[in-house]
């Protein structure tokens, strides 16, 4: 599903315009990003938990040449689905 398709579904389900749905989606993604940067964790009961985890520096390989390369440590976002969401996809 693309972002445009998601906006169309949100607009239809909530009975609002696509512009309002797009604004709501932008507000949601912005709020999630700010909260993860500030506290490192955001939980939505029934949906799941977003968290920031530190990935250690490691050694990898260039798939074209097979040469070893160093991959720097960085922070990444992790998502763990809640029980209600997990049950819906089963």
């Amino acid at each position: 599903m693309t972002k445009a398709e998601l906006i169309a579904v949100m607009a239809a389900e909530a009975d609002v315009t696509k512009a309002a749905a797009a604004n709501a989606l932008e507000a949601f993604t912005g709020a999630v990003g700010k909260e993860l940067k500030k506290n490192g964790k955001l939980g939505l009961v029934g949906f799941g938990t977003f968290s920031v985890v530190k990935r250690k520096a490691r050694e990898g390989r260039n798939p074209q040449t097979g040469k070893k390369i160093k991959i720097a440590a960085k922070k990444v976002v992790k998502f763990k689905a809640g029980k209600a969401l997990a049950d819906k996809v089963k």
Side-chain angles (χ1 to χ4, degrees):
M1 176 180 275
T2 65
K3 184 176 179 179
E5 291 170 336
L6 177 59
I7 289 169
V9 170
M10 287 173 57
E13 292 285 325
D15 195 28
V16 296
T17 65
K18 286 184 181 180
N23 288 340
L25 182 59
E26 289 298 323
F28 172 76
T29 56
V32 169
K34 285 178 187 175
E35 185 62 24
L36 289 176
K37 186 171 180 95
K38 182 179 173 186
N39 294 324
K41 194 168 189 176
L42 171 73
L44 300 171
V45 176
F47 184 71
T49 303
F50 295 92
S51 59
V52 176
V53 294
K54 291 180 182 175
R55 189 177 281 173
K56 293 181 183 178
R58 61 193 192 282
E59 193 174 87
R61 289 192 181 271
N62 181 331
Q64 291 181 332
T65 64
K67 200 175 193 181
K68 291 183 181 180
I69 58 172
K70 290 184 179 181
I71 301 171
K74 65 179 181 177
K75 292 180 182 178
V76 295
V77 176
K78 180 179 151 186
F79 176 75
K80 184 172 189 304
K83 184 174 180 349
L85 179 61
D87 289 344
K88 284 183 182 181
V89 295
K90 280 187 181 179

